[in-house]
Amino acid sequence: MKKLVAATHNKGKLAEMKKILSEYDIISVGEFDNGVEPIEDGETFAENALIKARSAYASSNLPSFGDDSGLCVDALNGAPGVYSARFAETPKACNERLLRELEGVKEEDRTARFISVIAYVDGQTEFVVEGKCEGKILFSEEGTEGFGYDPLFYSIDLNKPFGIATMEEKNSVSHRARAIAELKKKLMTL
Ligand code: IMP
């Protein structure tokens, strides 16, 4: 089985990647980097994904991929974007800040999308792929499923908030699942 290094220490992400990329032997970068993570100082999802993938390749010398994701809200000119994890101190505070910044914004103007970009690096080839899922920011949190901004995200694909969607439902439309599917397609052409 071809080995692929995933540039993440997050067990949930790793499990999701192993499930979708079942034809590959997915190894966590944690086996090579002693838990030292590169500084994600890119200005775009693609730059950050490349930083992670290049760093994983440098540590492992094996084909590697890294991902970066976040929420882009149209009424906030794409914010929080690459700063999604750092929008406030805690995920709860991030959601509170998002609601505050959207105060007075009407339902039809609350359009947003989750974006996931995955970069692949193997010493010869580098490429990036992207997955998106469209939605709207709710006026208050709904449900407790998922993580991060999920309780505020109404999915157009599912016609329901991610906060009340099962994991299977979310994985059937999520930005990350779509990006991993694109990665899989590209890998098959190498
Ligand atoms: P990263 O890709 O792990 O760096 O994710 C960056 C941040 O984007 C997370 O900390 C969350 O705030 C947000 N985010 C990314 N994907 C999701 C998702 O599927 N649901 C909710 N929040 C997400």
Side-chain angles (χ1 to χ4, degrees):
M1 229 199 279
K2 190 175 171 190
K3 289 187 163 90
L4 268 185
V5 175
T8 181
H9 297 94
N10 178 318
K11 291 209 173 87
K13 269 192 193 174
L14 206 64
E16 193 181 343
M17 286 160 176
K18 281 189 177 174
K19 203 164 155 191
I20 304 180
L21 294 166
S22 55
E23 302 85 345
Y24 296 87
D25 180 9
I26 305 292
I27 309 165
S28 167
V29 70
E31 306 217 358
F32 304 97
D33 69 358
N34 297 318
V36 181
E37 294 180 48
I39 297 164
E40 286 172 48
D41 56 1
E43 283 177 13
T44 62
F45 294 120
E47 280 171 23
N48 282 337
L50 274 166
I51 288 170
K52 293 185 211 178
R54 286 178 185 145
S55 166
Y57 176 72
S59 318
S60 66
N61 210 26
L62 287 169
S64 300
F65 65 98
D67 77 302
D68 195 41
S69 63
L71 177 69
C72 299
V73 180
D74 292 324
L76 304 179
N77 295 319
V82 288
Y83 303 104
S84 292
R86 295 164 273 168
F87 201 42
E89 289 264 304
T90 62
K92 188 172 178 289
C94 285
N95 284 351
E96 287 166 359
R97 177 169 175 197
L98 182 58
L99 283 179
R100 259 198 324 276
E101 298 213 0
L102 287 177
E103 249 166 39
V105 178
K106 291 192 293 243
E107 202 220 299
E108 62 264 36
D109 297 325
R110 297 172 79 96
T111 48
R113 64 207 51 75
F114 277 120
I115 298 184
S116 167
V117 173
I118 298 180
Y120 171 87
V121 171
D122 69 6
Q124 283 168 329
T125 313
E126 282 192 357
F127 64 77
V128 294
V129 291
E130 184 178 282
K132 283 186 194 178
C133 65
E134 299 288 335
K136 283 192 172 184
I137 304 303
L138 295 159
F139 288 89
S140 61
E141 293 194 10
E142 278 188 48
T144 52
E145 296 297 324
F147 69 98
Y149 297 96
D150 281 346
L152 285 180
F153 189 81
Y154 185 93
S155 161
I156 304 288
D157 292 290
L158 295 180
N159 239 325
K160 62 160 83 165
F162 269 175
I164 59 169
T166 63
M167 198 195 285
E168 284 71 27
E169 285 174 325
K170 184 179 165 189
N171 286 346
S172 71
V173 300
S174 88
H175 49 311
R176 214 173 344 272
R178 286 174 173 163
I180 298 173
E182 285 302 308
L183 171 69
K184 193 167 161 171
K185 269 198 241 161
K186 281 275 266 198
L187 286 174
M188 287 191 296
T189 67
L190 288 185

PDB file of all heavy atoms in Angstrom, residues 102-130:
ATOM      1  N   LEU A 102     -22.212  40.316  12.866  1.00  0.00           N
ATOM      2  CA  LEU A 102     -23.291  40.228  11.873  1.00  0.00           C
ATOM      3  C   LEU A 102     -24.601  40.836  12.380  1.00  0.00           C
ATOM      4  O   LEU A 102     -25.641  40.688  11.723  1.00  0.00           O
ATOM      5  CB  LEU A 102     -23.514  38.768  11.466  1.00  0.00           C
ATOM      6  CG  LEU A 102     -22.423  38.159  10.577  1.00  0.00           C
ATOM      7  CD1 LEU A 102     -22.695  36.697  10.302  1.00  0.00           C
ATOM      8  CD2 LEU A 102     -22.289  38.920   9.260  1.00  0.00           C
ATOM      9  N   GLU A 103     -24.532  41.519  13.522  1.00  0.00           N
ATOM     10  CA  GLU A 103     -25.736  42.143  14.064  1.00  0.00           C
ATOM     11  C   GLU A 103     -26.312  43.116  13.035  1.00  0.00           C
ATOM     12  O   GLU A 103     -25.560  43.916  12.443  1.00  0.00           O
ATOM     13  CB  GLU A 103     -25.411  42.911  15.347  1.00  0.00           C
ATOM     14  CG  GLU A 103     -26.021  42.244  16.579  1.00  0.00           C
ATOM     15  CD  GLU A 103     -25.444  42.790  17.870  1.00  0.00           C
ATOM     16  OE1 GLU A 103     -25.217  44.025  17.936  1.00  0.00           O
ATOM     17  OE2 GLU A 103     -25.193  41.987  18.770  1.00  0.00           O
ATOM     18  N   GLY A 104     -27.609  43.023  12.793  1.00  0.00           N
ATOM     19  CA  GLY A 104     -28.257  43.939  11.843  1.00  0.00           C
ATOM     20  C   GLY A 104     -28.157  43.480  10.397  1.00  0.00           C
ATOM     21  O   GLY A 104     -28.734  44.113   9.513  1.00  0.00           O
ATOM     22  N   VAL A 105     -27.416  42.376  10.122  1.00  0.00           N
ATOM     23  CA  VAL A 105     -27.313  41.882   8.737  1.00  0.00           C
ATOM     24  C   VAL A 105     -28.495  40.939   8.474  1.00  0.00           C
ATOM     25  O   VAL A 105     -28.732  40.004   9.235  1.00  0.00           O
ATOM     26  CB  VAL A 105     -25.967  41.147   8.500  1.00  0.00           C
ATOM     27  CG1 VAL A 105     -25.902  40.598   7.079  1.00  0.00           C
ATOM     28  CG2 VAL A 105     -24.792  42.086   8.775  1.00  0.00           C
ATOM     29  N   LYS A 106     -29.219  41.228   7.380  1.00  0.00           N
ATOM     30  CA  LYS A 106     -30.448  40.477   7.076  1.00  0.00           C
ATOM     31  C   LYS A 106     -30.133  39.058   6.605  1.00  0.00           C
ATOM     32  O   LYS A 106     -29.044  38.781   6.087  1.00  0.00           O
ATOM     33  CB  LYS A 106     -31.219  41.191   5.961  1.00  0.00           C
ATOM     34  CG  LYS A 106     -31.800  42.525   6.422  1.00  0.00           C
ATOM     35  CD  LYS A 106     -32.787  43.060   5.390  1.00  0.00           C
ATOM     36  CE  LYS A 106     -32.097  43.424   4.135  1.00  0.00           C
ATOM     37  NZ  LYS A 106     -31.963  44.588   3.520  1.00  0.00           N
ATOM     38  N   GLU A 107     -31.138  38.179   6.730  1.00  0.00           N
ATOM     39  CA  GLU A 107     -30.941  36.767   6.397  1.00  0.00           C
ATOM     40  C   GLU A 107     -30.327  36.572   5.010  1.00  0.00           C
ATOM     41  O   GLU A 107     -29.371  35.811   4.836  1.00  0.00           O
ATOM     42  CB  GLU A 107     -32.268  36.033   6.488  1.00  0.00           C
ATOM     43  CG  GLU A 107     -32.073  34.537   6.695  1.00  0.00           C
ATOM     44  CD  GLU A 107     -33.040  33.698   5.919  1.00  0.00           C
ATOM     45  OE1 GLU A 107     -34.250  33.827   6.144  1.00  0.00           O
ATOM     46  OE2 GLU A 107     -32.558  32.908   5.079  1.00  0.00           O
ATOM     47  N   GLU A 108     -30.857  37.288   4.008  1.00  0.00           N
ATOM     48  CA  GLU A 108     -30.370  37.058   2.641  1.00  0.00           C
ATOM     49  C   GLU A 108     -28.915  37.502   2.443  1.00  0.00           C
ATOM     50  O   GLU A 108     -28.262  37.112   1.476  1.00  0.00           O
ATOM     51  CB  GLU A 108     -31.288  37.714   1.598  1.00  0.00           C
ATOM     52  CG  GLU A 108     -31.411  39.226   1.697  1.00  0.00           C
ATOM     53  CD  GLU A 108     -32.640  39.676   2.500  1.00  0.00           C
ATOM     54  OE1 GLU A 108     -32.991  38.992   3.489  1.00  0.00           O
ATOM     55  OE2 GLU A 108     -33.217  40.721   2.141  1.00  0.00           O
ATOM     56  N   ASP A 109     -28.415  38.322   3.362  1.00  0.00           N
ATOM     57  CA  ASP A 109     -27.021  38.792   3.239  1.00  0.00           C
ATOM     58  C   ASP A 109     -26.064  38.014   4.136  1.00  0.00           C
ATOM     59  O   ASP A 109     -24.899  38.388   4.272  1.00  0.00           O
ATOM     60  CB  ASP A 109     -26.946  40.284   3.585  1.00  0.00           C
ATOM     61  CG  ASP A 109     -27.752  41.126   2.614  1.00  0.00           C
ATOM     62  OD1 ASP A 109     -27.786  40.767   1.417  1.00  0.00           O
ATOM     63  OD2 ASP A 109     -28.372  42.117   3.056  1.00  0.00           O
ATOM     64  N   ARG A 110     -26.531  36.934   4.756  1.00  0.00           N
ATOM     65  CA  ARG A 110     -25.681  36.182   5.708  1.00  0.00           C
ATOM     66  C   ARG A 110     -25.033  34.973   5.049  1.00  0.00           C
ATOM     67  O   ARG A 110     -24.696  33.985   5.711  1.00  0.00           O
ATOM     68  CB  ARG A 110     -26.497  35.779   6.939  1.00  0.00           C
ATOM     69  CG  ARG A 110     -26.997  37.006   7.718  1.00  0.00           C
ATOM     70  CD  ARG A 110     -27.953  36.628   8.822  1.00  0.00           C
ATOM     71  NE  ARG A 110     -27.288  36.122  10.002  1.00  0.00           N
ATOM     72  CZ  ARG A 110     -26.977  36.851  11.081  1.00  0.00           C
ATOM     73  NH1 ARG A 110     -27.244  38.140  11.100  1.00  0.00           N
ATOM     74  NH2 ARG A 110     -26.400  36.291  12.118  1.00  0.00           N
ATOM     75  N   THR A 111     -24.831  35.031   3.724  1.00  0.00           N
ATOM     76  CA  THR A 111     -24.247  33.903   2.991  1.00  0.00           C
ATOM     77  C   THR A 111     -22.787  33.686   3.399  1.00  0.00           C
ATOM     78  O   THR A 111     -22.050  34.638   3.676  1.00  0.00           O
ATOM     79  CB  THR A 111     -24.324  34.156   1.471  1.00  0.00           C
ATOM     80  OG1 THR A 111     -23.839  35.489   1.235  1.00  0.00           O
ATOM     81  CG2 THR A 111     -25.733  34.051   0.956  1.00  0.00           C
ATOM     82  N   ALA A 112     -22.403  32.411   3.430  1.00  0.00           N
ATOM     83  CA  ALA A 112     -21.049  32.048   3.885  1.00  0.00           C
ATOM     84  C   ALA A 112     -20.691  30.687   3.319  1.00  0.00           C
ATOM     85  O   ALA A 112     -21.562  29.971   2.796  1.00  0.00           O
ATOM     86  CB  ALA A 112     -21.038  31.981   5.407  1.00  0.00           C
ATOM     87  N   ARG A 113     -19.400  30.337   3.394  1.00  0.00           N
ATOM     88  CA  ARG A 113     -19.011  28.993   2.986  1.00  0.00           C
ATOM     89  C   ARG A 113     -17.829  28.511   3.813  1.00  0.00           C
ATOM     90  O   ARG A 113     -16.991  29.319   4.228  1.00  0.00           O
ATOM     91  CB  ARG A 113     -18.677  28.911   1.482  1.00  0.00           C
ATOM     92  CG  ARG A 113     -17.485  29.722   1.031  1.00  0.00           C
ATOM     93  CD  ARG A 113     -17.592  30.122  -0.421  1.00  0.00           C
ATOM     94  NE  ARG A 113     -18.861  30.740  -0.747  1.00  0.00           N
ATOM     95  CZ  ARG A 113     -19.209  31.993  -0.420  1.00  0.00           C
ATOM     96  NH1 ARG A 113     -18.371  32.790   0.214  1.00  0.00           N
ATOM     97  NH2 ARG A 113     -20.396  32.454  -0.726  1.00  0.00           N
ATOM     98  N   PHE A 114     -17.820  27.200   4.056  1.00  0.00           N
ATOM     99  CA  PHE A 114     -16.623  26.572   4.614  1.00  0.00           C
ATOM    100  C   PHE A 114     -15.740  26.183   3.438  1.00  0.00           C
ATOM    101  O   PHE A 114     -16.231  25.686   2.416  1.00  0.00           O
ATOM    102  CB  PHE A 114     -16.989  25.295   5.382  1.00  0.00           C
ATOM    103  CG  PHE A 114     -17.445  25.516   6.794  1.00  0.00           C
ATOM    104  CD1 PHE A 114     -18.702  25.118   7.200  1.00  0.00           C
ATOM    105  CD2 PHE A 114     -16.594  26.104   7.733  1.00  0.00           C
ATOM    106  CE1 PHE A 114     -19.128  25.296   8.505  1.00  0.00           C
ATOM    107  CE2 PHE A 114     -17.009  26.289   9.045  1.00  0.00           C
ATOM    108  CZ  PHE A 114     -18.278  25.887   9.431  1.00  0.00           C
ATOM    109  N   ILE A 115     -14.444  26.433   3.571  1.00  0.00           N
ATOM    110  CA  ILE A 115     -13.493  26.061   2.513  1.00  0.00           C
ATOM    111  C   ILE A 115     -12.393  25.207   3.127  1.00  0.00           C
ATOM    112  O   ILE A 115     -11.915  25.482   4.234  1.00  0.00           O
ATOM    113  CB  ILE A 115     -12.882  27.331   1.857  1.00  0.00           C
ATOM    114  CG1 ILE A 115     -13.983  28.149   1.193  1.00  0.00           C
ATOM    115  CG2 ILE A 115     -11.788  26.955   0.854  1.00  0.00           C
ATOM    116  CD1 ILE A 115     -13.502  29.378   0.441  1.00  0.00           C
ATOM    117  N   SER A 116     -12.021  24.159   2.403  1.00  0.00           N
ATOM    118  CA  SER A 116     -10.886  23.334   2.819  1.00  0.00           C
ATOM    119  C   SER A 116      -9.937  23.211   1.637  1.00  0.00           C
ATOM    120  O   SER A 116     -10.376  22.894   0.528  1.00  0.00           O
ATOM    121  CB  SER A 116     -11.381  21.938   3.214  1.00  0.00           C
ATOM    122  OG  SER A 116     -10.293  21.053   3.338  1.00  0.00           O
ATOM    123  N   VAL A 117      -8.667  23.517   1.857  1.00  0.00           N
ATOM    124  CA  VAL A 117      -7.671  23.373   0.797  1.00  0.00           C
ATOM    125  C   VAL A 117      -6.663  22.328   1.253  1.00  0.00           C
ATOM    126  O   VAL A 117      -6.204  22.342   2.399  1.00  0.00           O
ATOM    127  CB  VAL A 117      -6.971  24.716   0.497  1.00  0.00           C
ATOM    128  CG1 VAL A 117      -5.814  24.520  -0.476  1.00  0.00           C
ATOM    129  CG2 VAL A 117      -7.966  25.713  -0.087  1.00  0.00           C
ATOM    130  N   ILE A 118      -6.350  21.402   0.355  1.00  0.00           N
ATOM    131  CA  ILE A 118      -5.341  20.383   0.660  1.00  0.00           C
ATOM    132  C   ILE A 118      -4.182  20.545  -0.320  1.00  0.00           C
ATOM    133  O   ILE A 118      -4.399  20.669  -1.523  1.00  0.00           O
ATOM    134  CB  ILE A 118      -5.921  18.952   0.542  1.00  0.00           C
ATOM    135  CG1 ILE A 118      -7.051  18.767   1.568  1.00  0.00           C
ATOM    136  CG2 ILE A 118      -4.833  17.903   0.771  1.00  0.00           C
ATOM    137  CD1 ILE A 118      -7.687  17.392   1.545  1.00  0.00           C
ATOM    138  N   ALA A 119      -2.955  20.560   0.210  1.00  0.00           N
ATOM    139  CA  ALA A 119      -1.756  20.636  -0.634  1.00  0.00           C
ATOM    140  C   ALA A 119      -1.035  19.301  -0.571  1.00  0.00           C
ATOM    141  O   ALA A 119      -0.960  18.669   0.495  1.00  0.00           O
ATOM    142  CB  ALA A 119      -0.840  21.747  -0.128  1.00  0.00           C
ATOM    143  N   TYR A 120      -0.500  18.882  -1.718  1.00  0.00           N
ATOM    144  CA  TYR A 120       0.256  17.627  -1.820  1.00  0.00           C
ATOM    145  C   TYR A 120       1.678  17.945  -2.267  1.00  0.00           C
ATOM    146  O   TYR A 120       1.894  18.744  -3.180  1.00  0.00           O
ATOM    147  CB  TYR A 120      -0.422  16.705  -2.843  1.00  0.00           C
ATOM    148  CG  TYR A 120       0.382  15.468  -3.182  1.00  0.00           C
ATOM    149  CD1 TYR A 120       0.268  14.311  -2.417  1.00  0.00           C
ATOM    150  CD2 TYR A 120       1.269  15.460  -4.269  1.00  0.00           C
ATOM    151  CE1 TYR A 120       1.005  13.177  -2.719  1.00  0.00           C
ATOM    152  CE2 TYR A 120       2.004  14.324  -4.573  1.00  0.00           C
ATOM    153  CZ  TYR A 120       1.869  13.197  -3.799  1.00  0.00           C
ATOM    154  OH  TYR A 120       2.607  12.083  -4.101  1.00  0.00           O
ATOM    155  N   VAL A 121       2.655  17.323  -1.618  1.00  0.00           N
ATOM    156  CA  VAL A 121       4.067  17.560  -1.938  1.00  0.00           C
ATOM    157  C   VAL A 121       4.804  16.216  -1.896  1.00  0.00           C
ATOM    158  O   VAL A 121       4.675  15.473  -0.922  1.00  0.00           O
ATOM    159  CB  VAL A 121       4.697  18.509  -0.875  1.00  0.00           C
ATOM    160  CG1 VAL A 121       6.203  18.608  -1.036  1.00  0.00           C
ATOM    161  CG2 VAL A 121       4.089  19.909  -0.955  1.00  0.00           C
ATOM    162  N   ASP A 122       5.553  15.903  -2.976  1.00  0.00           N
ATOM    163  CA  ASP A 122       6.329  14.648  -2.907  1.00  0.00           C
ATOM    164  C   ASP A 122       7.766  14.788  -3.406  1.00  0.00           C
ATOM    165  O   ASP A 122       8.424  13.810  -3.742  1.00  0.00           O
ATOM    166  CB  ASP A 122       5.619  13.518  -3.654  1.00  0.00           C
ATOM    167  CG  ASP A 122       5.598  13.738  -5.171  1.00  0.00           C
ATOM    168  OD1 ASP A 122       6.223  14.704  -5.666  1.00  0.00           O
ATOM    169  OD2 ASP A 122       4.940  12.933  -5.860  1.00  0.00           O
ATOM    170  N   GLY A 123       8.244  16.033  -3.469  1.00  0.00           N
ATOM    171  CA  GLY A 123       9.621  16.238  -3.926  1.00  0.00           C
ATOM    172  C   GLY A 123       9.700  16.479  -5.420  1.00  0.00           C
ATOM    173  O   GLY A 123      10.625  17.120  -5.902  1.00  0.00           O
ATOM    174  N   GLN A 124       8.712  15.957  -6.176  1.00  0.00           N
ATOM    175  CA  GLN A 124       8.682  16.187  -7.630  1.00  0.00           C
ATOM    176  C   GLN A 124       7.467  17.018  -8.013  1.00  0.00           C
ATOM    177  O   GLN A 124       7.542  17.906  -8.853  1.00  0.00           O
ATOM    178  CB  GLN A 124       8.607  14.846  -8.364  1.00  0.00           C
ATOM    179  CG  GLN A 124       9.956  14.155  -8.383  1.00  0.00           C
ATOM    180  CD  GLN A 124       9.819  12.726  -8.849  1.00  0.00           C
ATOM    181  OE1 GLN A 124       8.799  12.078  -8.625  1.00  0.00           O
ATOM    182  NE2 GLN A 124      10.862  12.242  -9.493  1.00  0.00           N
ATOM    183  N   THR A 125       6.365  16.696  -7.358  1.00  0.00           N
ATOM    184  CA  THR A 125       5.091  17.353  -7.687  1.00  0.00           C
ATOM    185  C   THR A 125       4.565  18.127  -6.491  1.00  0.00           C
ATOM    186  O   THR A 125       4.733  17.691  -5.354  1.00  0.00           O
ATOM    187  CB  THR A 125       4.031  16.270  -8.018  1.00  0.00           C
ATOM    188  OG1 THR A 125       4.612  15.339  -8.896  1.00  0.00           O
ATOM    189  CG2 THR A 125       2.786  16.867  -8.613  1.00  0.00           C
ATOM    190  N   GLU A 126       3.932  19.262  -6.771  1.00  0.00           N
ATOM    191  CA  GLU A 126       3.167  19.980  -5.739  1.00  0.00           C
ATOM    192  C   GLU A 126       1.856  20.405  -6.382  1.00  0.00           C
ATOM    193  O   GLU A 126       1.863  20.890  -7.504  1.00  0.00           O
ATOM    194  CB  GLU A 126       3.890  21.263  -5.299  1.00  0.00           C
ATOM    195  CG  GLU A 126       5.036  21.042  -4.349  1.00  0.00           C
ATOM    196  CD  GLU A 126       5.549  22.342  -3.706  1.00  0.00           C
ATOM    197  OE1 GLU A 126       5.043  23.440  -4.041  1.00  0.00           O
ATOM    198  OE2 GLU A 126       6.444  22.250  -2.878  1.00  0.00           O
ATOM    199  N   PHE A 127       0.741  20.175  -5.683  1.00  0.00           N
ATOM    200  CA  PHE A 127      -0.520  20.723  -6.179  1.00  0.00           C
ATOM    201  C   PHE A 127      -1.457  20.992  -5.017  1.00  0.00           C
ATOM    202  O   PHE A 127      -1.230  20.488  -3.908  1.00  0.00           O
ATOM    203  CB  PHE A 127      -1.178  19.799  -7.222  1.00  0.00           C
ATOM    204  CG  PHE A 127      -1.604  18.453  -6.705  1.00  0.00           C
ATOM    205  CD1 PHE A 127      -2.754  18.301  -5.955  1.00  0.00           C
ATOM    206  CD2 PHE A 127      -0.849  17.317  -6.992  1.00  0.00           C
ATOM    207  CE1 PHE A 127      -3.154  17.053  -5.490  1.00  0.00           C
ATOM    208  CE2 PHE A 127      -1.231  16.065  -6.523  1.00  0.00           C
ATOM    209  CZ  PHE A 127      -2.387  15.932  -5.776  1.00  0.00           C
ATOM    210  N   VAL A 128      -2.481  21.824  -5.282  1.00  0.00           N
ATOM    211  CA  VAL A 128      -3.498  22.060  -4.250  1.00  0.00           C
ATOM    212  C   VAL A 128      -4.883  21.762  -4.822  1.00  0.00           C
ATOM    213  O   VAL A 128      -5.120  21.955  -6.015  1.00  0.00           O
ATOM    214  CB  VAL A 128      -3.479  23.513  -3.685  1.00  0.00           C
ATOM    215  CG1 VAL A 128      -2.216  23.808  -2.935  1.00  0.00           C
ATOM    216  CG2 VAL A 128      -3.713  24.536  -4.771  1.00  0.00           C
ATOM    217  N   VAL A 129      -5.749  21.254  -3.980  1.00  0.00           N
ATOM    218  CA  VAL A 129      -7.152  21.033  -4.363  1.00  0.00           C
ATOM    219  C   VAL A 129      -8.028  21.689  -3.307  1.00  0.00           C
ATOM    220  O   VAL A 129      -7.564  21.944  -2.182  1.00  0.00           O
ATOM    221  CB  VAL A 129      -7.503  19.527  -4.462  1.00  0.00           C
ATOM    222  CG1 VAL A 129      -6.817  18.883  -5.637  1.00  0.00           C
ATOM    223  CG2 VAL A 129      -7.159  18.803  -3.162  1.00  0.00           C
ATOM    224  N   GLU A 130      -9.302  21.962  -3.693  1.00  0.00           N
ATOM    225  CA  GLU A 130     -10.177  22.703  -2.782  1.00  0.00           C
ATOM    226  C   GLU A 130     -11.560  22.065  -2.695  1.00  0.00           C
ATOM    227  O   GLU A 130     -12.045  21.504  -3.671  1.00  0.00           O
ATOM    228  CB  GLU A 130     -10.316  24.129  -3.339  1.00  0.00           C
ATOM    229  CG  GLU A 130     -11.108  25.054  -2.451  1.00  0.00           C
ATOM    230  CD  GLU A 130     -11.182  26.466  -3.026  1.00  0.00           C
ATOM    231  OE1 GLU A 130     -10.196  27.209  -2.912  1.00  0.00           O
ATOM    232  OE2 GLU A 130     -12.243  26.817  -3.583  1.00  0.00           O
TER     233      GLU A 130
END
